[in-house]
Amino acid sequence: MVDAARARKLADRIQQIVAEMLERRVKDPRLGFVTVTDTRITADLREATVFYTVFGSEAERADSAAALESAKGIIRSEVGRQTGVRFTPTLTFKHDPLPDSARQLDDLISAARARDAEVARQARSASYAGEADPYRKPEEGDDGGAAGRDDQA
């Protein structure tokens, strides 16, 4: 087991190297607009998982996944060369569903705001069903029932 800080630094470095490789050296036409979002590495530094997103349709996502899988060897050798670790971690590419979930949450929040605005608009023109002040108040000549208590004492 290694220090967690060292593992995090290595994961960050792997993320930078993979992003550079995808931008400059991997020339696969199937590779779409890919963004590397995160990299996680195991505690023994043997396996690294690279999370990515693809801007585009489901077909472009599948094509990009196939392109990443075929370029895995070149990327891994470059990671080993640039990091200088004794054992180059194996790379696994996984599609990151976080942006899709965030987009769905944004849509839900927008719909909730629209419903809140509609309720607020209806509340502005609403009036009370009964009196404006529903609490009982003593009448003008009433002393609160104190006279009735004197008789009982």
Side-chain angles (χ1 to χ4, degrees):
M1 297 292 163
V2 292
D3 184 26
R6 180 173 180 231
R8 185 69 236 162
K9 284 180 185 178
L10 182 61
D12 289 342
R13 184 66 185 131
I14 290 171
Q15 181 176 348
Q16 291 172 352
I17 293 168
V18 170
E20 252 177 45
M21 290 286 295
L22 293 178
E23 184 179 340
R24 296 195 178 121
R25 294 212 21 220
V26 177
K27 301 296 181 196
D28 195 328
R30 298 175 295 175
L31 192 63
F33 186 68
V34 176
T35 304
V36 178
T37 57
D38 194 18
T39 302
R40 305 251 171 93
I41 194 161
T42 58
D44 61 356
L45 306 180
R46 296 286 179 149
E47 297 175 14
T49 304
V50 179
F51 293 94
Y52 68 94
T53 60
V54 178
F55 184 73
S57 66
E58 192 67 37
E60 291 171 329
R61 187 178 298 158
D63 288 345
S64 295
L68 287 172
E69 199 62 35
S70 68
K72 187 188 292 190
I74 296 168
I75 296 171
R76 182 174 182 232
S77 65
E78 187 66 22
V79 165
R81 191 180 68 74
Q82 288 191 26
T83 57
V85 291
R86 181 181 299 177
F87 181 82
T88 303
T90 59
L91 300 177
T92 305
F93 291 98
K94 282 194 170 186
H95 181 263
D96 191 2
L98 187 64
D100 297 332
S101 301
R103 194 172 313 115
Q104 182 182 10
L105 282 176
D106 283 342
D107 293 344
L108 291 172
I109 289 171
S110 297
R113 282 187 180 145
R115 285 193 303 268
D116 287 349
E118 177 65 23
V119 168
R121 187 187 61 73
Q122 289 176 355
R124 272 189 238 116
S125 63
S127 62
Y128 293 106
E131 297 177 19
D133 187 9
Y135 298 104
R136 274 194 179 166
K137 295 184 181 113
E139 293 184 19
E140 299 251 343
D142 192 12
D143 60 352
R149 286 191 204 126
D150 289 339
D151 295 339
Q152 293 176 358

